[in-house]
Amino acid sequence: MKIPASAFPKVPYYLGLYPVVDSLEWVRRLLQVGVKTLQLRIKDLPDAEVEPAIIEAIRLGREADARLFINDYWRLAVKHRAYGIHLGQEDLDDTDLLAIHDAGLRLGVSTHDESELARAVSVRPSYIALGHVFPTQTKQMPSSPQGLQELAHHVHQLGGRFPTVAIGGISLDRVQSVMDCGVGSVAVVSAITQASDWQAATRQLLALCPYRDDPHAQ
Ligand SMILES: Cc1ncc(COP(=O)(O)OP(=O)(O)O)c(N)n1
Ligand SMILES: Cc1ncsc1CCOP(=O)(O)O
Ligand SMILES: [Mg+2]
């Protein structure tokens, strides 16, 4: 893993509600209701198959002045100049971080424990994701949920050096307790995509997890 000589571009600490979705349809819907931070997470398809969706998602994100992160497909994200990329720890092994950095894209990195936190910090990413906080049905996780106490501990350890995003099993009724741990953002999948009324759920989540402009962020 080659680490760039300077940090990745800054993003606001309080990125606000951060939905993670697997289709263009969801990207469109969420931008329409005022979501400003989101991720397109399409798993395990050949680049050629996802490229049209990635191009359109980036275009929609730009048009709405939103912060759209692309999960996994870093080459396509660089090629089409996405706002940012989200990578897991395993992704870090075979990703050209210098290419992402030199192209000026923001980078978010997943972490699950202290050693992953140290590795993420060494990369100086735009934000650090902490999870999974609670049990989740959305993704098979090899580790146990970290819970609120561990989450608060990790946020404290980072000491405000990096914006933080909590993820994993965060339902509407758990958002406030997660925000109370000092995280800047809450990433959710099922709290929106499985909600009986996704628009109402998104509105409530946006209110509980507000974006705050940070003059030092790009
Ligand atoms: C905001 C956010 N946090 C964590 C993840 C998980 O990323 P990763 O570990 O790379 O796993 P996959 O999402 O690729 O299955 C995420 N996507 N977003
Ligand atoms: C992609 C991902 N990474 C860690 S947990 C998770 C899924 C979160 O989904 P949900 O909000 O439905 O628990
Ligand atoms: Mg990944």
Side-chain angles (χ1 to χ4, degrees), residues 41 132 136-139 141 167-170 187-191:
R41 176 178 179 265
H132 53 310
T136 174
Q137 305 296 316
T138 305
K139 176 178 161 140
M141 303 297 296
I167 187 166
I170 306 177
V188 298
V189 180
S190 53

Side-chain angles (χ1 to χ4, degrees), residues 36-145:
K36 291 290 187 189
T37 305
L38 70 173
Q39 182 186 126
L40 181 64
R41 176 178 179 265
I42 298 174
K43 293 301 292 180
D44 304 326
L45 289 179
D47 278 23
E49 230 171 283
V50 290
E51 189 165 12
I54 286 179
I55 292 172
E56 180 62 2
I58 293 171
R59 192 191 69 74
L60 290 167
R62 247 188 233 130
E63 186 179 74
D65 201 18
R67 296 166 289 276
L68 178 97
F69 289 86
I70 300 294
N71 186 52
D72 291 351
Y73 294 91
W74 64 270
R75 286 189 186 81
L76 292 175
V78 168
K79 180 176 172 189
H80 299 293
R81 296 284 186 269
Y83 175 85
I85 295 174
H86 183 92
L87 295 176
Q89 294 274 327
E90 310 77 40
D91 305 319
L92 287 177
D93 298 332
D94 49 12
T95 296
D96 185 349
L97 294 177
L98 301 183
I100 298 172
H101 182 271
D102 292 352
L105 273 63
R106 291 87 182 157
L107 177 70
V109 175
S110 302
T111 67
H112 304 92
D113 57 32
E114 309 252 329
S115 68
E116 292 189 356
L117 214 50
R119 190 167 183 232
V121 165
S122 75
V123 171
R124 288 184 285 173
S126 308
Y127 73 77
I128 293 181
L130 305 162
H132 53 310
V133 183
F134 302 108
T136 174
Q137 305 296 316
T138 305
K139 176 178 161 140
Q140 277 220 320
M141 303 297 296
S143 52
S144 312

